[in-house]
Amino acid sequence: MSDKDPSIKPWGGRFSEPTDQFVERFTASVSFDQRLYHHDINGSLAHAAMLEKVGVLTAQELADIQGGLEEIRAEILAGTFEWSISLEDVHMNIEARLTDKIGITGKKLHTGRSRNDQVATDIRLYVRDELALICKELSRLQQGLINLAKREANTIMPGFTHLQTAQPVTFGHHMLAWNEMLERDYSRFQDCGVRLNQCPLGAAALAGTTYPIDRHYSAELLGFDRPTENSLDSVSDRDFAIEFAAAASVMMTHLSRFSEELVLWTSAQFKFIELPDRFCTGSSIMPQKKNPDVPELIRGKVGRVNGHLVSLLTLMKSQPLAYNKDNQEDKEPIFDIIDTVKDCLKAYADMVPAITVNEDVTREAAMRGFSTATDLADYLVRKGLPFRDAHEVVGKSVAYGVAENKDLSEMTIDELRTFSSDIELDVFDVLTLEGSVNARDHIGGTAPKQVLAAAERAESRLNTRV
């Protein structure tokens, strides 16, 4: 039978002419949705088992379908499976091959379901599995940050606001700030997984089926928490994809912020850190260059993930219930988000543990910009001065330091007392960098012992993850 004969299509019975070759190529999705084969086969195995349970299939028919599907899985894994554009998508390619293998029994597999609920199930299964891998890699990156925070808990560096020196912090404290951002990302992915883990199988095209199916059994076999509630919504819902894309966009924004800091810190103007050579590249013309390409590229990749989020939102914004062909456009954005996120997380999880901190440089940088000025103001408040008056006193002392090219800690007691008679010799305990970071001895503070305690709590949270 020729491919141009419309009867070769599973839906070709009512058509009087074959599909235009351009339209066939234009509407086909098999070139990209074939990556769903594993989940499509698993969904079909569960559906077949359910059909046998309710008496639609015999035990022998179920065995034939199971054997045939597993043979097809093996063919795909071996690279010998022939994908056909004329069969449009992953589902029809597998079904056609099953029928080739086991005959008419293969045609019974589609009883009580539609490609609409089939693809909705497949994509949920796929995203669920990939979400688990993403969370695993995210946890690996977090462990790297926590280890780095422990290692550099005492390493002083400047903290910034407006990219201007603000107050001294430690490198370890800074790494734990990144970790907190990723902890929220992990929570968002987990929360997304709760709503994702509902099974559309059995909703059929849009209105359910007249066969005596058991949707709870199908959902259980596939590891879903429960079947979806409404057949119309089941086949047309892509909220889970949008929610996943949104969580991924937030996480990529965090990685982009990390990247920006790493790019700055590796520059000759900062020299705070060194990245391992294996994560950098050189210049084709300037032999001295060591470019932080990995962080730069990750910073750039956030744009494609954000773009896919907008694409999915736009895809769904005007669709009436129930399924529409528009929804074929959900897969490529989802696939690319997943590939991009996994690659970026792997790059960072591999790179972060190998970061080397130039402790002398970060300390010297913290000495610039009068980073202990707030500590002096707090000192004066403890001496009884109202904060606004203390603020003015310190402002004048900083102006003097700028004029004389002296840090507050480098001024003599006599110089400092020209600004306030409340200043005494114990002021130097708070004007040192160590005094400043150690003074913030509370949960979330910069004191090294608090950094280590926070790192232990963060690691404990990691260890409780399943």
Side-chain angles (χ1 to χ4, degrees), residues 183-414:
E183 184 69 20
R184 294 193 295 274
D185 293 326
Y186 181 88
S187 177
R188 270 184 284 270
F189 283 133
Q190 292 295 301
D191 195 46
C192 168
V194 172
R195 280 173 292 282
L196 179 151
N197 204 35
Q198 300 172 22
C199 184
L201 197 57
L206 77 160
T209 177
T210 58
Y211 295 95
I213 61 173
D214 185 342
R215 293 190 62 213
H216 286 278
Y217 184 64
S218 300
E220 180 184 346
L221 290 176
L222 291 170
F224 286 107
D225 293 332
R226 62 179 178 85
T228 50
E229 286 286 342
N230 181 280
S231 60
L232 284 167
D233 179 61
S234 297
V235 297
S236 59
D237 167 49
R238 294 298 183 270
D239 288 2
F240 66 91
I242 293 170
E243 190 173 358
F244 166 72
S249 292
V250 174
M251 194 209 72
M252 286 297 295
T253 298
H254 290 156
L255 293 187
S256 182
R257 294 180 70 186
F258 302 172
S259 297
E260 176 71 7
E261 293 193 310
L262 292 179
V263 170
L264 286 172
W265 293 351
T266 57
S267 69
Q269 289 69 33
F270 276 78
K271 295 172 64 175
F272 282 7
I273 64 167
E274 294 288 339
L275 297 178
D277 286 356
R278 63 185 179 276
F279 289 94
C280 300
T281 63
S283 165
S284 62
I285 188 172
M286 295 170 285
Q288 84 281 10
K289 294 294 294 298
K290 179 181 174 180
N291 299 325
D293 278 13
V294 168
E296 287 178 347
L297 190 57
I298 290 173
R299 186 177 59 186
K301 283 182 180 292
V302 67
R304 69 192 296 158
V305 175
N306 288 353
H308 290 320
L309 170 60
V310 174
S311 177
L312 289 169
L313 287 166
T314 307
L315 173 70
M316 298 305 299
K317 76 174 184 64
S318 299
Q319 283 198 45
L321 291 172
Y323 182 84
N324 301 279
K325 188 66 170 178
D326 313 44
N327 283 348
Q328 182 170 296
E329 291 295 300
D330 67 347
K331 293 167 197 62
E332 288 176 292
I334 293 171
F335 295 160
D336 192 62
I337 289 172
I338 288 169
D339 292 344
T340 301
V341 165
K342 286 167 65 178
D343 284 350
C344 291
L345 285 173
K346 174 177 171 49
Y348 259 111
D350 289 346
M351 183 179 69
V352 162
I355 289 174
T356 302
V357 183
N358 297 323
E359 184 176 354
D360 292 342
V361 176
T362 60
R363 180 183 176 81
E364 191 275 331
M367 288 292 294
R368 299 194 302 267
F370 304 93
S371 63
T372 59
T374 303
D375 298 279
L376 179 56
D378 292 341
Y379 168 88
L380 291 169
V381 169
R382 289 194 296 272
K383 293 288 185 177
L385 210 61
F387 181 79
R388 284 301 168 203
D389 292 341
H391 190 285
E392 184 178 357
V393 167
V394 177
K396 290 178 178 179
S397 66
V398 168
Y400 173 80
V402 171
E404 297 295 321
N405 195 28
K406 282 187 176 182
D407 185 70
L408 294 172
S409 63
E410 297 172 327
M411 296 180 191
T412 66
I413 187 65
D414 291 335

Side-chain angles (χ1 to χ4, degrees), residues 4 9 66 114 124 180 197 275 291 303 386 412:
K4 292 187 179 296
K9 307 287 188 184
Q66 290 171 330
S114 162
R124 283 177 185 253
E180 287 301 305
N197 204 35
L275 297 178
N291 299 325
T412 66

